[in-house]
Amino acid sequence: MAKFNVNLKEASKKEEKLTGGHRLCAGCGASVLVRQTLFATDDPVVVACATGCLEVATSIFPYTSWKTPWIHNAFENAAATISGVEAMYRALKRKGVIPKEKRIKFIAFGGDGGTYDIGLQSLSGALERGHSFLYICYDNEGYMNTGIQRSSSTPIGAATTTAPPGEAMPGKIQDRKDLTHIVIAHNIPFVAQASIHDWRDLMIKVKKALAKDGPTFINAFSPCDRGWRFEPKDTIEIARMAVETCFWPLYEVDEGVLRINYKPKEKKPVVEWLKMQGRFQHLFEEKNRHLIDLIQKRVDEEWERLLKLDGMKIALSYFKAKV
């Protein structure tokens, strides 16, 4: 198995491929994620971006924050777009237009709205077809760009503009979708969960993904201070606490084998994470406290399941015919 490592000092010497001056909110996790991702790349990259906070705030005409070839298409088809570019790259290599020794990597970014929901169909299709690209979901658990509406990534009990807490409901009443395991079921070479607070883990996972010949996916925890109602200075700590409580476990499935990348020495109760965010404050009212117990039960069950699977082969090996 290839060894991957990152050196922060050396990475910081690289040219910034996402420049400052963009319009993302102070404290936005998406910009941290993109900078860490691009610092982890060694080859030229082409980036596609689904509609969302990241696209809107980094490409307001006539300006762009991207120092890479960059494509925006629509909410639903970032994966289809990047797969088409990757197919063109392979075709041009076969024709000799692009030298065989030249290496270009392909990355798509999408929020949970453009990935869990609107873009799931094109993502699934691109994974099944076997295009060689990395898709990264910056998961901020809601449609933040269009007004903080709930998505299928929004946790149960969270307050959003389309699932407001009140007499009729205590915030969102459905559990969140487990997109990472949906992607694992596609039997692709590499799938992982990461968090912006752990730059080393995230950047190593990006390097692993880009080294594969085939589709790869990283679901990255990306707190949103506007939608989650916390101070911008607390973004990294919010992300760290999600991992320490095991609400967002860090693990990977590499060639079908699941490995947990971080096991807290002392797993903290999920209430420690919930109380840091305004979107969960109504859960501390007596009539809603049962939802805190429900969230803790869900976190415990998922963590115990992952512990049992740690080191086990849980997906089929990826393969496709050579043509």
Side-chain angles (χ1 to χ4, degrees), residues 2 15 77 102 141 151 154 180 210 234 261 264 267 280 303:
E15 180 187 16
N77 57 4
K102 186 173 180 62
E141 301 187 333
S151 77
T154 306
T180 306
L210 292 176
D234 295 329
N261 305 115
K267 179 167 164 280
F280 292 117
W303 182 240

Side-chain angles (χ1 to χ4, degrees), residues 151-222:
S151 77
S152 63
S153 171
T154 306
I156 191 170
T160 71
T161 54
T162 50
E167 293 302 318
M169 64 174 67
K172 189 186 175 206
I173 58 174
Q174 299 87 6
D175 199 2
R176 69 193 314 274
K177 183 190 292 183
D178 190 344
L179 178 63
T180 306
H181 272 78
I182 292 172
V183 175
I184 291 169
H186 287 73
N187 301 317
I188 63 176
F190 186 79
V191 182
Q193 283 196 174
S195 171
I196 62 167
H197 84 280
D198 192 335
W199 60 268
R200 186 184 302 277
D201 177 75
L202 172 60
M203 291 175 69
I204 288 175
K205 284 172 177 172
V206 170
K207 286 181 175 292
K208 285 182 179 180
L210 292 176
K212 299 291 186 181
D213 181 18
T216 55
F217 178 86
I218 295 175
N219 204 0
F221 199 65
S222 180

